[in-house]
Amino acid sequence: MKKILVSFAIITSCIIGCKTNTKSNDAKTITVALEPKSSSTLAGTATFTEKNGKVTFVAKMSGLTPGIHAIHIHEKSDCSAADGSSAGGHWNPTFKKHGKWGIGEYHKGDIGNFTADSQGNGTITLTTDEWCIGCEDETKNILQKGLIVHQGTDDFTTQPSGDAGGRVACAGIIK
């Protein structure tokens, strides 16, 4: 009888006091303002929202030249240089080749291309479980990185940057 009571006490205390691995439904959100660079007139915001283990990224911009532009996460949240070069290269914590998101090898910062309409407005959305906001996994944590909008199109081939042209906007991904 004593063995049964002790086992019951252990099971009961674990049910009451043990942590579970269920994911929280609480969302973390960061919105950053895009700062024009390289004499551009770009304006806009980017929002990163983490919920249920996935980050949804939405950028809305105006003041672009009509056509296709690239957008990437870069190594640093430093946007102090007039040409955005202070943000460093693409964020690549897994040391992969530059490429197209979700196909073969690609940097964690290789978001891709989007189209600006005839009025210079553009939007891009991406949802991924390969990023997090403030987690301890440095191969996923986007905090303290930079977001760069490029003048041109990412060719998904040229190493290490995709030959996307000048940097027309920058934002630090910081709280």
Side-chain angles (χ1 to χ4, degrees):
M1 183 71 156
K2 279 187 177 181
K3 285 183 182 180
I4 294 172
L5 288 175
V6 170
S7 296
F8 179 75
I10 292 170
I11 291 169
T12 303
S13 64
C14 189
I15 289 171
I16 293 169
C18 292
K19 290 184 177 181
T20 63
N21 289 329
T22 58
K23 293 181 181 175
S24 170
N25 286 331
D26 294 335
K28 295 180 197 176
T29 300
I30 295 177
T31 300
V32 297
L34 290 159
E35 179 183 336
K37 294 292 173 187
S38 305
S39 300
S40 80
T41 59
L42 190 142
T45 59
T47 302
F48 298 86
T49 302
E50 182 177 2
K51 188 171 182 175
N52 298 323
K54 292 186 178 186
V55 174
T56 297
F57 161 75
V58 179
K60 297 178 181 181
M61 297 151 282
S62 63
L64 291 156
T65 56
I68 301 173
H69 299 271
I71 188 166
H72 303 114
I73 294 178
H74 284 244
E75 299 168 315
K76 302 173 197 162
S77 60
D78 182 356
C79 294
S80 61
D83 65 356
S85 61
S86 52
H90 291 182
W91 177 49
N92 185 17
T94 55
F95 308 103
K96 303 287 185 183
K97 290 182 180 180
H98 174 74
K100 188 172 186 175
W101 186 271
I103 300 173
E105 286 194 31
Y106 54 94
H107 301 156
K108 292 277 182 113
D110 288 344
I111 298 171
N113 293 323
F114 66 94
T115 302
D117 64 20
S118 61
Q119 284 78 45
N121 300 313
T123 301
I124 185 167
T125 301
L126 173 72
T127 299
T128 181
D129 62 359
E130 294 191 42
W131 297 343
C132 65
I133 299 173
C135 70
E136 293 182 19
D137 184 345
E138 287 306 313
T139 66
K140 295 177 80 171
N141 186 4
I142 60 170
L143 284 182
Q144 304 306 316
K145 306 300 181 265
L147 184 65
I148 296 286
V149 179
H150 291 272
Q151 181 180 10
T153 303
D154 188 331
D155 66 13
F156 305 118
T157 305
T158 303
Q159 299 300 320
S161 66
D163 196 25
R167 300 172 183 201
V168 294
C170 182
I173 306 170
I174 53 178
K175 286 185 179 181

